[in-house]
Amino acid sequence: MTTLAKRIVQGGPAGVNVRRYRIIRNIVLVAVTAIAIGGFLIDVPRIQILEHTARNLYFHVPMWFTLMAAVTFSAYHSIRFLQTGNLVRDVRAREAALVGIVFGILGLLTGMVWARFTWYQGTNIWWNFDPKQTMAAVQLLIYGAYFVLRSAIEEPQKRGRIAAVYNLFALVTVPFLLFILPRQAPSLHPGADGNPAFSDFTAPEMRWVLYPAFIAFIGLFWVLYTQRVRFSLIKLRLHGDSE
Amino acid sequence: MEDARQEVPPDTAEAIYDTLWAASEVPTRAPEGIERVMLAEDKLYVVLAVVLIIWFGLIFLLLRTDRRLDNLERELEDRIPEDASYE
């Protein structure tokens, strides 16, 4: 086996170190299991309207932190692609954005269900264009367009370059759409428009689950992302193009 | 059972079910063994069990996919020793 072939599939420039992947994967799987158990077993204060749904904090909020980590990671690889022209970087940028979007969709859906039975209890409303939810949906559409853009270009290097530049612009919108704009508007989401932010009402014991949950779910993203990168690198090596 | 049904004012479906359950007087004895754990906290731990079953199923799938990727990578190394130009 030649060194270059080995580099593409495993180590080398931006390849996957399978041994390291396996170790981190096993840690992550145990960690997410621990989060699920801790999220259910550790007692939470029963607050009006929220009741047991306060436990959603451990699962819903990490989805969005994972999306933000994923798209930042994706943008990093886009920059590296623009620097090097190494298609492995393009593969990594794409897979990070894709798995990130999946977490974003899960965040939006879990938020909808949570809102339906708290904010909109007794109203039968599932979607009311709350600014936070609307902006989050727009954010996902912006990243959806990244894939539409990719699918429109045949030549891998050109596709990679244009998509990378778009990806950097997309990242710039993230803090505005997920934080700044929703907080300017009257939203029911915590942290908006004079509502208590997370730090004001969250019981200290919940942080023991919440903070590890951020790390665990970002780790889960990394596992799913790396698995897809491995798959795409095999395809890249066979076809000279990973799409 | 039939008597209980007739006593219910047929307002809503919930009222019917609710009164039926109340009338049949379950549980007939205090929970013991595994039930003492699972029925606590408004049966919250039943949800935990369901979530863990799903999660372990997903882990199984993930590990299987990894194994298939391992094999595929190994096969690729054997079959294509020279680099297919990718840059």
Side-chain angles (χ1 to χ4, degrees), chain A residues 55-69:
Chain A
R55 296 176 196 274
N56 278 348
L57 188 75
Y58 307 139
F59 306 103
H60 168 75
V61 182
M63 294 297 116
W64 292 105
F65 274 68
T66 304
L67 171 82
M68 287 185 284

Side-chain angles (χ1 to χ4, degrees), chain A residues 1 16 18 21 30 41 45 49 67 87 94 115 157 160 180 189:
Chain A
M1 179 176 175
V16 174
V18 175
Y21 163 76
V30 172
L41 294 192
I49 300 173
L67 171 82
L87 283 175
R94 185 190 71 208
Q157 283 289 340
I180 297 173
H189 198 281

Side-chain angles (χ1 to χ4, degrees), chain A:
Chain A
M1 179 176 175
T2 64
T3 44
L4 188 56
K6 198 169 189 169
R7 264 167 37 194
I8 299 167
V9 174
Q10 295 177 340
V16 174
N17 181 335
V18 175
R19 193 175 306 152
R20 192 184 64 182
Y21 163 76
R22 247 180 243 132
I23 294 169
I24 296 179
R25 176 197 68 193
N26 294 343
I27 295 171
V28 164
L29 295 181
V30 172
V32 175
T33 309
I35 294 302
I37 294 172
F40 278 92
L41 294 192
I42 293 176
D43 198 32
V44 297
R46 307 295 163 76
I47 308 171
Q48 278 268 317
I49 300 173
L50 279 183
E51 306 297 343
H52 269 306
T53 75
R55 296 176 196 274
N56 278 348
L57 188 75
Y58 307 139
F59 306 103
H60 168 75
V61 182
M63 294 297 116
W64 292 105
F65 274 68
T66 304
L67 171 82
M68 287 185 284
V71 295
T72 306
F73 201 57
S74 172
Y76 164 74
H77 285 295
S78 282
I79 291 174
R80 299 290 286 138
F81 176 75
L82 291 174
Q83 287 174 335
T84 63
N86 180 358
L87 283 175
V88 178
R89 295 292 185 183
D90 187 45
V91 164
R92 286 182 172 276
R94 185 190 71 208
E95 300 300 351
L98 185 74
V99 180
I101 288 181
V102 171
F103 276 89
I105 291 170
L106 294 176
L108 199 65
L109 290 175
T110 53
M112 277 175 70
V113 173
W114 199 359
R116 166 62 185 83
F117 301 104
T118 49
W119 301 349
Y120 304 137
Q121 184 181 337
T123 62
N124 204 21
I125 290 173
W126 287 89
W127 184 266
N128 199 31
F129 289 96
D130 185 274
K132 188 84 165 185
Q133 292 182 315
T134 310
M135 294 301 164
V138 169
Q139 185 72 78
L140 294 181
L141 290 177
I142 285 175
Y143 277 97
Y146 169 75
F147 291 94
V148 177
L149 178 64
R150 293 189 67 94
S151 68
I153 305 166
E154 277 291 319
E155 209 275 304
Q157 283 289 340
K158 190 179 171 194
R159 182 208 298 136
R161 271 201 312 279
I162 293 174
V165 172
Y166 178 87
N167 197 21
L168 295 180
F169 279 109
L171 180 71
V172 174
T173 67
V174 171
F176 292 95
L177 286 170
L178 294 189
F179 292 105
I180 297 173
L181 286 177
R183 289 183 181 208
Q184 308 293 317
S187 166
L188 290 170
H189 198 281
D193 197 43
N195 275 340
F198 167 75
S199 54
D200 292 333
F201 69 85
T202 308
E205 60 264 35
M206 294 186 76
R207 289 154 200 259
W208 286 103
V209 181
L210 180 65
Y211 293 156
F214 288 146
I215 299 168
F217 279 106
I218 290 172
L220 182 61
F221 151 78
W222 189 85
V223 168
L224 295 172
Y225 147 83
T226 305
Q227 195 179 58
R228 289 188 61 90
V229 169
R230 285 176 77 184
F231 175 80
S232 289
L233 292 190
I234 292 170
K235 212 169 165 188
L236 178 64
R237 185 139 171 257
L238 284 174
H239 302 150
D241 186 4
S242 62
E243 298 208 355

